[in-house]
């Protein structure tokens, strides 16, 4: 899983044959439990964590640590799940951290915060969690469970992200082919999760969403029966959690986001704001969503009904500030900037080429219909290798004048070599155009060009 610093393109493979050797090396490098005075092998996730944040934050710690050591993805996810599950079954009261006086006063003044929030010391919790992970690795060195050794579909995912000319990098992304293993889901439906989050006003909200949206989705009881609904609820829940954190820590950032959950033979997407995902099928762009922008008539009406306004200042903005009408966070712009996501689902037939998820730093300057040609020309030059296609797409956006952070993720649903050999099937073909299906069907076509947004 990747959800922290930007990374280059990488194939995702199962690597089950590497499992025993990885555990041996890990336990050689860390031959004993950590003592209180020993340095942590990872950075603690802040100063305090609320109880509801523990699962996501600890799973992120483990996946980042194990991934940096080149653990096979299914093993890393299964190890993280087992260690987190065991720790959550213990009494966490020993990690409780009493709030400062000013925090208590703020809670008293906040009428919306009915239930008291239990805060835990993140440093002590991270140390205890590492020791739990070490114990699980020692147990599995003797006998690795089937779940950690199970083969999974090999995904080719090309990712590239750059700060560009902005002062800070506020994008984050997630690539999680081992979704089931990370959350202990043992039903016959294979699941893989991919997401891009585009932060503004700081990176806190984007980082938070990259850790907690998929964790909250996995918690939803309706995930097996209504994955799209589970994703919508995950966005709403993550927004609520981050708003509580923002009030505690005086954070003002926000983030748009888009995610794709492939569950068996069905694609589910959910989004907030103007980060987007498109599907390419037989050389044709399939529109899956309509981004949330203040100038959309329904969004403008919703904002005005709440007492806000939409005005044009270099681009359309909510209350003269934000250029998006829905986002996680933005505590001072709620409820005008909504935390309610939209979602859609689509059956996959096996004829799909790839998904492309990206932030507005890409889509503001690259029209949907030009993506296919850019990808195809890259595959032609690289003789069918798609590993670095995201890098080329980012470069194209920069050459077109994008000054924003740019993140692009291409999830191949077929072998790129097959796409190269088949060419752009359907391009200019009336029959292929007739096969094209937009979802939802009532959405208008996107404009070919949009003004840059901040």
């Amino acid at each position: 899983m990747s959800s922290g610093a930007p990374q280059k393109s990488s194939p995702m493979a199962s690597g089950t044959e590497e499992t025993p050797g990885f555990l041996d090396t890990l336990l050689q490098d860390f031959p004993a439990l950590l003592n209180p005075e020993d340095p942590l092998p990872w950075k603690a996730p802040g100063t305090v964590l609320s109880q509801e944040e523990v699962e996501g934050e600890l799973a992120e710690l483990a996946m980042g640590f194990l991934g940096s050591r080149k653990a096979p993805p299914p093993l890393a996810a299964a190890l993280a799940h087992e260690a987190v599950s065991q720790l959550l079954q213990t009494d966490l009261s020993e990690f409780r951290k009493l709030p400062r006086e000013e925090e208590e006063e703020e809670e008293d003044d906040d009428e919306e915060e009915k239930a008291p929030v239990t805060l835990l010391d993140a440093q002590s919790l991270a140390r205890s969690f590492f020791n739990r992970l070490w114990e699980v690795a020692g147990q599995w060195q003797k006998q690795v469970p089937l779940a950690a050794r199970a083969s999974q579909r090999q995904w080719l995912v090309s990712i590239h992200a750059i700060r560009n000319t902005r002062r800070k990098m506020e994008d984050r992304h997630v690539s999680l082919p081992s979704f089931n293993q990370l959350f202990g889901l043992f039903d016959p439906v294979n699941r893989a999760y991919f997401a891009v989050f585009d932060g503004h006003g700081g990176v806190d909200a984007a980082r938070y969403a990259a850790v907690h949206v998929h964790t909250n989705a996995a918690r939803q009881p309706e995930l097996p029966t209504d994955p799209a609904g589970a994703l919508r609820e995950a966005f709403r829940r993550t927004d609520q959690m981050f708003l509580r954190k923002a009030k505690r820590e005086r954070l003002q950032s926000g983030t748009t986001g888009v995610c794709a959950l492939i569950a068996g033979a069905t694609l589910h997407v959910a989004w907030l704001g103007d980060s987007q995902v498109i599907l390419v099928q037989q050389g044709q762009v399939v529109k899956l969503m309509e981004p949330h922008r203040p100038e959309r008539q329904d969004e403008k009406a919703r904002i005005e009904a709440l007492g806000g306004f939409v005005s044009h200042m270099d681009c359309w903005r909510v209350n003269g500030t934000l250029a998006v009408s829905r986002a996680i966070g933005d505590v001072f712009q709620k409820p005008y900037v909504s935390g309610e996501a939209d979602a859609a689902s689509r059956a996959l037939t096996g004829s799909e080429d790839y998904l492309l998820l990206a932030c507005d730093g890409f889509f503001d300057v690259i029209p949907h219909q030009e993506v296919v040609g850019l990808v195809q020309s890259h595959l032609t030059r690289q003789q069918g290798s798609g590993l670095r296609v995201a890098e080329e797409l980012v470069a194209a956006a920069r050459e077109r004048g994008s000054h924003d952070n740019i993140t692009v993720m291409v999830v191949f649903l077929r072998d790129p070599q097959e796409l190269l050999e088949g060419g752009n099937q359907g391009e200019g073909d009336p029959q292929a155009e007739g096969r094209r299906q937009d979802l939802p069907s009532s959405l208008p076509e996107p404009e070919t060009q949009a003004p840059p947004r901040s």
Side-chain angles (χ1 to χ4, degrees):
M1 178 171 64
S2 58
S3 59
Q7 69 174 44
K8 290 205 172 183
S9 313
S10 62
M12 309 302 289
S14 59
T16 54
E17 69 281 353
E18 302 169 15
T19 296
F22 174 82
L23 292 174
D24 291 343
T25 301
L26 178 66
L27 294 169
Q28 287 171 7
D29 292 345
F30 297 92
L33 295 172
L34 292 181
N35 293 315
E37 64 276 7
D38 291 335
L40 284 173
W42 48 41
K43 183 179 179 181
T47 305
V48 295
L49 295 176
S50 66
Q51 191 99 24
E52 63 188 355
E53 295 169 337
V54 170
E55 181 181 3
E57 294 291 349
L58 294 187
E60 174 71 9
L61 275 183
M63 291 295 284
F65 171 73
L66 296 170
S68 70
R69 299 180 66 86
K70 309 300 182 187
L75 174 65
L79 269 173
H81 169 72
E82 183 63 22
V84 170
S85 298
Q86 288 188 17
L87 189 65
L88 289 178
Q89 291 170 16
T90 65
D91 182 5
L92 299 181
S93 61
E94 64 175 292
F95 305 110
R96 185 172 181 180
K97 188 168 185 178
L98 295 176
R100 302 188 306 269
E101 284 186 20
E102 57 268 28
E103 290 175 338
E104 289 179 331
E105 290 174 2
E106 286 178 10
E107 286 183 12
D108 291 340
D109 293 338
D110 189 354
E111 295 181 0
E112 296 180 359
E113 196 68 52
K114 301 294 183 183
V117 176
T118 300
L119 298 179
L120 307 175
D121 182 80
Q123 187 85 6
S124 301
L125 193 61
R127 182 178 302 278
S128 180
F129 177 60
F130 180 83
N131 286 340
R132 183 73 59 167
L133 186 69
W134 184 89
E135 289 172 347
V136 173
Q139 295 164 4
W140 287 13
Q141 189 183 30
K142 303 179 183 70
Q143 179 63 47
V144 180
L146 283 174
R149 291 186 282 124
S151 61
Q152 67 175 42
R153 172 176 174 176
Q154 295 190 18
W155 293 89
L156 179 64
V157 184
S158 178
I159 307 168
H160 195 64
I162 63 169
R163 178 173 57 86
N164 209 358
T165 62
R166 290 294 177 92
R167 190 167 60 90
K168 294 182 179 179
M169 179 56 168
E170 296 176 332
D171 289 358
R172 290 295 183 266
H173 58 267
V174 184
S175 177
L176 183 57
S178 302
F179 185 93
N180 283 1
Q181 289 91 336
L182 184 58
F183 298 111
L185 303 176
F186 301 114
D187 60 11
V189 179
N190 291 318
R191 296 178 181 86
Y193 171 89
F194 309 96
V196 168
F197 298 97
D198 180 1
H200 49 263
V203 75
D204 300 282
R207 184 212 164 269
Y208 198 88
V211 170
H212 292 286
V213 169
H214 57 282
T215 304
N216 283 324
R219 288 174 177 164
Q220 301 309 311
E222 67 268 30
L223 178 67
T225 56
D226 182 15
L231 291 175
R232 275 195 304 270
E233 177 60 20
F235 271 93
R236 189 189 69 82
R237 174 77 171 152
T238 303
D239 182 45
Q240 290 179 338
M241 289 168 57
F242 183 73
L243 290 177
R244 286 192 281 271
K245 178 183 175 71
K247 290 174 183 177
R248 287 197 308 269
E249 302 181 14
R250 297 178 173 85
L251 304 175
Q252 300 184 29
S253 61
T255 186
T256 67
V258 62
C259 69
L261 177 69
I262 301 174
T266 307
L267 167 66
H268 309 278
V269 298
W271 67 97
L272 271 179
D274 56 4
S275 295
Q276 298 183 56
V277 56
I278 61 172
L279 173 68
V280 174
Q281 181 177 26
Q282 295 184 322
Q284 295 290 324
V285 173
V286 178
K287 185 176 178 180
L288 301 173
M289 55 163 287
E290 181 72 14
H292 300 121
R293 290 182 173 133
E295 63 267 33
R296 259 179 56 173
Q297 194 57 44
D298 55 345
E299 290 294 275
K300 184 173 182 288
R302 178 185 62 79
I303 293 162
E304 290 176 346
L306 291 168
F309 65 91
V310 173
S311 59
H312 193 276
M313 304 168 58
D314 74 330
C315 67
W316 292 101
R317 297 181 181 273
V318 177
N319 296 336
T321 56
L322 292 178
V324 293
S325 56
R326 301 198 190 192
I328 288 171
D330 294 312
V331 62
F332 295 115
Q333 288 295 334
K334 289 291 192 283
Y336 315 107
V337 174
S338 171
E340 297 290 331
D342 279 330
S345 301
R346 180 185 179 87
L348 298 175
T349 66
S351 61
E352 294 80 11
D353 302 341
Y354 51 86
L355 289 170
L356 186 146
L357 298 87
C359 61
D360 67 335
F362 176 79
F363 279 118
D364 276 353
V365 296
I366 303 291
H368 290 181
Q369 299 298 336
E370 291 190 20
V371 168
V372 175
L374 290 169
V375 171
Q376 195 69 20
S377 62
H378 174 85
L379 294 179
T380 300
R381 288 193 302 276
Q382 299 298 320
Q383 300 180 320
S385 172
L387 278 175
R388 301 178 72 90
V389 66
E391 190 171 340
E392 181 153 326
L393 292 171
V394 168
R398 192 173 186 180
E399 289 169 4
R400 298 283 184 90
S402 177
H403 299 289
D404 202 354
N405 299 156
I406 308 174
T407 297
V408 172
M409 178 185 300
V410 180
V411 182
F412 284 97
L413 303 175
R414 287 200 287 164
D415 186 342
Q417 190 68 46
E418 183 182 341
L419 304 185
L420 179 62
E421 293 168 357
N424 274 348
Q425 296 182 33
E427 187 172 11
D429 179 357
Q431 290 183 340
E433 190 65 27
R435 290 193 298 269
R436 174 179 170 173
Q437 293 182 339
D438 289 355
L439 192 158
S441 59
S442 59
L443 294 180
E445 285 297 312
E447 295 184 5
T448 57
Q449 200 76 17
R453 294 168 168 266
S454 60

